[in-house]
Amino acid sequence: DAGVIQSPRHEVTEMGQEVTLRCKPISGHNSLFWYRQTMMRGLELLIYFNNNVPIDDSGMPEDRFSAKMPNASFSTLKIQPSEPRDSAVYFCASSTGSGDTQYFGPGTRLTVL
Amino acid sequence: SQKIEQNSEALNIQEGKTATLTCNYTNYSPAYLQWYRQDPGRGPVFLLLIRENEKEKRKERLKVTFDTTLKQSLFHITASQPADSATYLCALDISSGGSYIPTFGRGTSLIVHP
């Protein structure tokens, strides 16, 4: 298996632009997680899905952030409009269940100028 | 407030020694606790999971203890090697509405000197 796939690996954009991050979980995994990692705040859970349904989005910082999972093999995290404080590494992870071992993707390094 | 604390200072040890990393938490009642390893530029990689009713878990050179009274987990790497140098994150799985919500500490950097 290729593991969790994320794209793009790096994204540089200007403030105010829309950013879309993509994730393909490991086939057969029912849970998908989006995290943000910064030096200041560490690894923060933004949202997680179980069987394509959002279960907990309390970590989503504000309405500028949205996430979707239209099917079991694809999820997106969108930021619109982006701001410099959104600069971070965004990780996607998947697991067979909400409490099971998580497998992380390589992350997307986002820089908002 | 709820907190997960890992030593923010890097742990420097000599090759061959045992490295011990600490994860303390407050105001949580985790169902279980996990340890992950993260290398620069990569996502965290799962190492070990220990449940609330377990005191100790081992895997090769790794050992994890879990003391729910002290609200502390210790992570040991015996016979450490320079290749063990990385950041180690602990994560608590908190039961919430029938699901388990993972919450990560900020990690401790381990540097093993040859």
Side-chain angles (χ1 to χ4, degrees):
Chain A
D1 200 320
V4 175
I5 299 173
Q6 289 187 249
S7 64
R9 293 294 312 276
H10 302 274
E11 176 82 28
V12 180
T13 190
E14 293 190 346
M15 183 173 63
Q17 296 299 305
E18 177 179 295
V19 175
T20 299
L21 311 181
R22 298 173 176 79
C23 175
K24 177 179 167 53
I26 292 172
S27 176
H29 282 192
N30 299 323
S31 296
L32 183 140
F33 307 80
W34 280 101
Y35 291 90
R36 177 172 67 177
Q37 188 172 41
T38 61
M39 290 292 291
M40 289 292 293
R41 300 174 69 90
L43 193 63
E44 303 173 277
L45 178 66
L46 299 177
I47 185 171
Y48 94 91
F49 295 84
N50 207 35
N51 294 321
N52 311 339
V53 176
I55 301 299
D56 187 339
D57 65 354
S58 59
M60 296 284 263
E62 48 198 272
D63 291 346
R64 298 185 297 107
F65 286 68
S66 63
K68 292 183 180 178
M69 192 165 186
N71 57 61
S73 59
F74 184 65
S75 177
T76 59
L77 178 67
K78 188 175 290 187
I79 308 173
Q80 165 65 15
S82 57
E83 297 182 1
R85 60 191 167 122
D86 301 330
S87 297
V89 180
Y90 290 81
F91 288 105
C92 175
S94 69
S95 70
T96 52
S98 65
D100 297 327
T101 299
Q102 295 186 34
Y103 295 83
F104 282 76
T108 295
R109 180 172 294 277
L110 173 65
T111 303
V112 183
L113 303 174
Chain B
S1 63
Q2 297 172 321
K3 280 186 184 177
I4 302 172
E5 293 180 342
Q6 294 186 258
N7 197 338
S8 58
E9 288 185 15
L11 176 63
N12 286 271
I13 65 167
Q14 210 62 34
E15 182 176 10
K17 302 292 186 185
T18 296
T20 298
L21 305 175
T22 305
C23 177
N24 295 303
Y25 59 93
T26 58
N27 296 327
Y28 280 113
S29 294
Y32 37 90
L33 186 148
Q34 303 184 50
W35 283 89
Y36 287 76
R37 169 183 173 142
Q38 186 173 21
D39 291 284
R42 294 176 177 265
V45 175
F46 170 77
L47 297 175
L48 278 170
L49 179 152
I50 186 165
R51 302 184 189 280
E52 60 180 336
N53 60 350
E54 297 176 316
K55 296 293 185 187
E56 183 179 297
K57 204 82 168 278
R58 291 175 185 260
K59 179 183 174 183
E60 298 173 352
R61 295 186 295 112
L62 309 180
K63 184 178 85 170
V64 172
T65 63
F66 193 13
D67 189 325
T68 55
T69 301
L70 289 179
K71 296 188 183 293
Q72 179 182 79
S73 175
L74 299 178
F75 177 78
H76 307 271
I77 305 176
T78 58
S80 59
Q81 305 165 0
D84 295 326
S85 299
T87 296
Y88 292 86
L89 306 167
C90 71
L92 274 58
D93 283 40
I94 313 299
S95 177
S96 174
S99 297
Y100 288 96
I101 310 298
T103 304
F104 282 80
R106 293 181 60 179
T108 298
S109 175
L110 171 66
I111 302 169
V112 182
H113 299 275

